[in-house]
Amino acid sequence: VVVDSNTTKDDAFAPLFPQAHASFVQRVRSCHREHPHETRYEKIAQWLSWRDVETAPEVIDRYAARFKDEVAARIDTIRPIVGIEDFIRRIQRSGIPMVIVSAAPEAEIREVLGRYDLSDYFSAIHGPVTDKGTVLRGLYSSGAYPPDAVLFFGDAESDFRAAQSAGVSFIGVGALLSSIPDIQRVMH
């Protein structure tokens, strides 16, 4: 977790459905928050199906492109997590490789990192990813890192579950994680 973009993304989904009733828009926002592991394409397909709108790939792609534009229009509202820039620079100076695993597309991740001069600190960016646990396991199954050398930061319960399934250590960021009762069991 480098930036806090969840609220920005919540706000960017609403304009996709300008004719929708407020209760539908609230349902979309709730679904977005409750399913952070799903890609925007999966979410958009689900939301369109709720409205009995065609869910052909080209239709979903049009909605995803509109969503990307809405996020881009709000990019100035996305801010780094307090203290993260200094933390990233210190980790990099110590020689520890850093990788991003995200449900967001790689190009958008790079754009946000570039705004804060943080792009060069990461050895790889994986996105969009629907199964973060698989990516995390891939980091150590290739022999590049032992599992106890992987530390995963996340801001959603799905991130916690991904770390748990991959058998790696986890640090939760943000208020959402206070609702996870068994978080201490994953932490090493």
Side-chain angles (χ1 to χ4, degrees):
V1 180
V2 176
V3 297
D4 182 6
S5 63
N6 290 332
T7 302
T8 301
K9 290 176 183 172
D10 282 352
D11 294 343
F13 279 119
L16 299 182
F17 305 99
Q19 307 302 322
H21 188 273
S23 63
F24 177 81
V25 174
Q26 185 53 44
R27 187 176 176 198
V28 164
R29 283 187 169 126
S30 295
C31 180
H32 169 64
R33 287 185 209 117
E34 292 166 10
H35 302 279
H37 58 284
E38 292 180 359
T39 68
R40 64 188 60 168
Y41 297 93
E42 293 167 314
K43 292 174 189 177
I44 289 168
Q46 180 178 13
W47 302 335
L48 292 174
S49 73
W50 294 346
R51 297 183 57 86
D52 295 322
V53 173
E54 180 186 3
T55 58
E58 59 274 5
V59 173
I60 295 168
D61 286 346
R62 280 197 307 271
Y63 276 83
R66 286 178 45 208
F67 173 75
K68 179 182 176 191
D69 292 343
E70 292 291 337
V71 170
R74 293 166 171 77
I75 201 154
D76 289 336
T77 66
I78 298 174
R79 297 282 179 249
I81 300 295
V82 174
I84 196 70
E85 295 156 296
D86 184 51
F87 176 78
I88 287 170
R89 289 180 179 104
R90 282 188 288 151
I91 294 296
Q92 193 268 343
R93 280 193 303 269
S94 72
I96 298 172
M98 292 178 286
V99 174
I100 291 180
V101 180
S102 177
E106 181 179 338
E108 290 177 25
I109 296 166
R110 289 189 184 283
E111 182 178 351
V112 171
L113 291 174
R115 292 179 66 79
Y116 300 103
D117 295 322
L118 297 173
S119 300
D120 296 336
Y121 293 99
F122 297 92
S123 57
I125 297 174
H126 299 272
V129 172
T130 56
D131 184 354
K132 293 178 182 179
T134 298
V135 175
L136 292 170
R137 281 187 295 282
L139 292 174
Y140 63 78
S141 66
S142 67
Y145 312 100
D148 62 354
V150 177
L151 176 59
F152 185 52
F153 291 78
D155 62 356
E157 184 173 352
S158 61
D159 294 332
F160 169 70
R161 301 290 174 217
Q164 208 173 26
S165 76
V168 300
S169 296
F170 180 77
I171 293 181
V173 178
L176 174 66
L177 295 161
S178 63
S179 65
I180 303 173
D182 54 350
I183 196 166
Q184 289 300 318
R185 282 191 267 152
V186 165
M187 306 218 20
H188 301 297

